[in-house]
Structure formats: structure tokens, C-alpha cells
């Protein structure tokens, strides 16, 4: 199940070209990350670029970027729930994720979100050990310890 709020986070994080944002949420837990498909020789630079994005967001985001992200999130929500089937899917998703459903909670949560909230969430993500997943030739990938030192 994809979560709508973290996906709008892409407007704040602005992933580098050829990278995307992934988000999975269930109840009070979730996974937010950047995905990339660099060439083997670009693996180290890709890890640096993705780490730098989250470090940048943890230091703060401009209000216009947050306003854009909120508008995208709310617009996407309105579009997704504009039909009966979209509304039913949203209610089911809310029930699975939060054990309750409310049409107004999502819009209120997005509207109340501040730049400090986003920076705080990003900073909290950076305090724990990162998860680094790779496939393909791994010889050029930086060692986990060198990546983990950037966090904490």
C-alpha cells in the first residue's frame, strides 16, 4: 500500500535525476526511502547524492517547497477520492492503517504540517542506522560503515 503524504515528500526532497521516492506506511510504522539505478561506477556518487538529500531536508525546507508539496498531496487526495470506488479504497486503506476512517483527518493533517515537522522527521530518520539495499555488481558500492558514519 502506498501512502499519499510521503509521496508528496518528493516535492520537498527533490530526488536527483534517475532516482525516485518510495514510501510504505502501516499504522504507526513506515518506510521512506530514495531509490536509484546508477551504473556500477556511479554507485558511490548515488549513495552520496541520496544521503545528501535527506541531510538537506533535515536542516530545513523552504516554505514554498512545503506549500507545493501540500498542494500536490491534497490535490492527489481529492482526485483519488472523487469517485465512489476511490472513496471506498481510501476508507479501506485508512481502516487498515489506522483502524479508523475519517474524511477530514487527512486534509487536516496535511494542512497542519509545518516545515519544522518535515525537518524533524527527516532528522529522526537520520539518527538511526540506515538500510542500504543493492543489487547487481557490488564492487563499486561504498562499504556500509562509511555510509552509516554519515548518520547518527
Amino acid at each position: 500500500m502506498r501512502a499519499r503524504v510521503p509521496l508528496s515528500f518528493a516535492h520537498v526532497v527533490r530526488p536527483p535525476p534517475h532516482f525516485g521516492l518510495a514510501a510504505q506506511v502501516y499504522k504507526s510504522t513506515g518506510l521512506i526511502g530514495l531509490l536509484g539505478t546508477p551504473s556500477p561506477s556511479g554507485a558511490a556518487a548515488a549513495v552520496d547524492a541520496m544521503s545528501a538529500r535527506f541531510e538537506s531536508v533535515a536542516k530545513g525546507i523552504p516554505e514554498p517547497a512545503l506549500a507545493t508539496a501540500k498542494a500536490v498531496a491534497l490535490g492527489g487526495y481529492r482526485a483519488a477520492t472523487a469517485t465512489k470506488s476511490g472513496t471506498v479504497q481510501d476508507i479501506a486503506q485508512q481502516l487498515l492503517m489506522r483502524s479508523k476512517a475519517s474524511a477530514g483527518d487527512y486534509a487536516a493533517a496535511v494542512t497542519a504540517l509545518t516545515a519544522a515537522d518535515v525537518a524533524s522527521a527527516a532528522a529522526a530518520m537520520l539518527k538511526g542506522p540506515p538500510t542500504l539495499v543493492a543489487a547487481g555488481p557490488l564492487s563499486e558500492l561504498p562499504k556500509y560503515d562509511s555510509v552509516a558514519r554519515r548518520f547518527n
Side-chain angles (χ1 to χ4, degrees), residues 22-92:
Q24 295 289 345
V25 176
Y26 180 74
K27 297 201 182 224
S28 64
T29 189
L31 175 67
I32 298 174
L34 288 171
L35 305 173
T37 53
S39 66
S41 64
V47 170
D48 285 343
M50 289 189 280
S51 299
R53 276 318 152 147
F54 277 108
E55 291 166 345
S56 169
V57 171
K59 292 176 184 169
I61 59 167
E63 286 296 332
L66 179 62
T68 299
K70 287 174 156 183
V72 169
L74 291 173
Y77 181 73
R78 285 187 205 104
T81 58
T83 64
K84 184 185 280 190
S85 64
T87 301
V88 169
Q89 181 180 353
D90 179 64
I91 290 170

Side-chain angles (χ1 to χ4, degrees), residues 38-41 43 134-141:
S39 66
S41 64
L138 304 178
S139 61
E140 300 294 325
L141 193 67

Side-chain angles (χ1 to χ4, degrees), residues 105-147:
D105 284 357
Y106 178 79
V110 171
T111 301
L113 192 65
T114 67
D117 295 333
V118 174
S120 176
M125 288 190 307
L126 296 175
K127 287 183 180 173
T131 299
L132 182 63
V133 179
L138 304 178
S139 61
E140 300 294 325
L141 193 67
K143 300 291 183 216
Y144 178 82
D145 291 347
S146 69
V147 175

